[in-house]
């Protein structure tokens, strides 16, 4: 089976022949038709998360998949060969940059009928991230004010649509050339990050979804109202994440140190900061599927590359300029 493999951290992504996936009794074997490209893949390749995501090398990258079921384990009841599905495999079972992948049944959902394989392949990681930030943790309600950074990007373009559907007033940061685009997605207020300072223009927000970190995260704390929440997906990780991830005591201490400054700033302002590393969930994908097939949320695919272009396509993510998601596909 052909796959793209990392053999060492900071090493190149290499095409190689690898063993066929092992299909457990609760697994679904999927022929990969499309796979989303995420900055997370590049960060894993560069070794940025090796302390908190201790992958064993060599490793097949890829966190999103859309494809066709070609086999099921003996205990699987919800899927059959021929079903078109999509999924974000559990973090210890990633590997969608391959011809086939075995995914736990609980992490898989039927593909939305109204969209293509390429569009479906773009969705799982970013849609689950948006859902877990806004619905599960944020509990966004009508009338609340939500700031979503990088609104034209993969997570941002889905999160804007979802927050608007939930009834929030949505502000976002984006380049001036993307202002019309993010307004069409549902943003009420657009801040041009190149020429404007969002901290000087926004106040009284209930929730910030931050995908940038650093100074942007620090400023985001100051636009929240008392009791507001900043949810970061770029880090730094916090003690709650370390506990949930089952990290050893030494790593828990190190993680606490990484986020101590931002948590202290948040406490002083009367707001909270929490780190989100999304998890796989077929149940949540099914709820997202309903929104997609109802036309409430639409995927945004800015670029499609061929399977054999995977290394170059992944590397190009750092250059920016792509609306929504980049995908590798067979079409």
């Amino acid at each position: 089976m052909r796959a793209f493999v990392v053999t060492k951290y900071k090493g190149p992504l290499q095409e190689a022949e690898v063993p066929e996936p092992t299909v457990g009794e609760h697994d679904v074997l999927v022929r990969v038709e499309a796979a989303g490209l995420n900055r997370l893949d590049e960060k894993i390749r560069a070794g940025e998360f090796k302390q908190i995501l201790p992958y064993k090398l060599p490793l097949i990258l890829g966190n999103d998949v859309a494809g066709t079921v070609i086999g099921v384990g003996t205990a699987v009841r919800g899927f059959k060969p021929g079903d078109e599905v999509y999924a974000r495999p559990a973090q210890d079972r990633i590997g969608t940059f391959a011809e086939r992948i075995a995914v736990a049944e609980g992490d898989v959902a039927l593909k939305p009928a109204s969209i293509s394989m390429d569009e479906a392949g773009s969705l799982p990681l970013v849609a689950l991230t948006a859902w877990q930030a806004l619905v599960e943790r944020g509990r966004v309600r009508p009338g609340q004010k939500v700031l979503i950074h990088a609104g034209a990007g993969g997570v941002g373009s889905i999160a804007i649509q979802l927050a608007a559907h939930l009834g929030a007033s949505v502000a976002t940061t984006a380049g001036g050339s993307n202002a019309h685009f993010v307004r069409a997605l549902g943003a009420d207020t657009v801040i041009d990050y190149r020429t404007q300072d969002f901290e000087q223009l926004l106040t009284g927000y209930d929730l910030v979804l931050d995908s940038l970190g650093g100074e942007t995260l620090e400023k985001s704390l100051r636009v929240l109202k008392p009791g507001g929440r900043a949810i970061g997906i770029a880090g730094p990780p916090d003690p709650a994440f370390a506990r949930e991830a089952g990290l050893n005591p030494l790593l828990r201490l190190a993680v606490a140190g990484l986020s101590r400054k931002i948590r202290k700033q948040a406490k002083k302002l009367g707001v909270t900061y929490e780190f989100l590393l999304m998890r796989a969930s077929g149940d949540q994908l099914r709820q997202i599927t309903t929104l997609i097939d109802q036309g409430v949320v639409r995927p945004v695919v800015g670029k499609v590359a061929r399977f054999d272009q995977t290394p170059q396509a992944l590397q190009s993510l750092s250059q920016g300029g792509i609306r929504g998601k980049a995908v590798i596909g067979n079409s």
Side-chain angles (χ1 to χ4, degrees), residues 36-38 64 121-123 126 154 300-303 322-327:
L37 294 163
N38 297 284
D64 287 314
S122 76
L123 280 169
V126 295
V300 180
V301 177
K303 179 180 180 181
I322 299 174
R323 285 179 175 176
K325 286 289 293 293
V327 177

Side-chain angles (χ1 to χ4, degrees), residues 185-256:
L185 293 176
D188 302 288
T189 302
V190 182
I191 308 298
D192 185 342
Y193 69 87
R194 292 190 179 95
T195 61
Q196 297 175 298
D197 184 347
F198 73 89
E199 183 188 358
Q200 302 301 317
L201 299 171
L202 305 177
T203 188
Y205 274 70
D206 297 277
L207 180 71
V208 176
L209 176 53
D210 173 58
S211 57
L212 302 173
E215 183 182 4
T216 298
L217 175 57
E218 293 183 16
K219 287 185 174 184
S220 294
L221 299 178
R222 297 193 285 270
V223 307
L224 290 167
K225 71 179 187 181
R229 305 169 73 180
I231 297 177
I233 61 175
D238 61 3
F241 162 77
R243 288 193 300 271
E244 293 168 6
L247 301 184
N248 65 51
L250 187 60
L251 281 178
R252 289 189 190 186
L253 187 62
V255 165

Side-chain angles (χ1 to χ4, degrees), residues 91-165:
Q91 67 182 35
D92 60 346
R93 299 188 65 179
I94 66 171
T96 64
F97 296 166
E99 293 179 289
R100 290 172 289 282
I101 185 172
V103 186
E105 180 182 16
D107 298 338
V108 181
L110 292 175
K111 179 184 80 66
S114 59
I115 62 175
S116 69
M117 279 290 185
D118 288 345
E119 290 172 320
S122 76
L123 280 169
L125 186 143
V126 295
L128 287 170
T129 299
W131 184 275
Q132 289 167 20
L134 301 177
V135 177
E136 185 176 68
R137 292 201 187 187
R139 298 189 180 95
V140 172
R141 303 183 301 276
Q144 289 189 317
K145 296 166 66 176
V146 175
L147 169 60
I148 296 165
H149 284 295
V155 173
S157 60
I158 300 299
I160 288 173
Q161 297 177 75
L162 182 56
H165 169 67

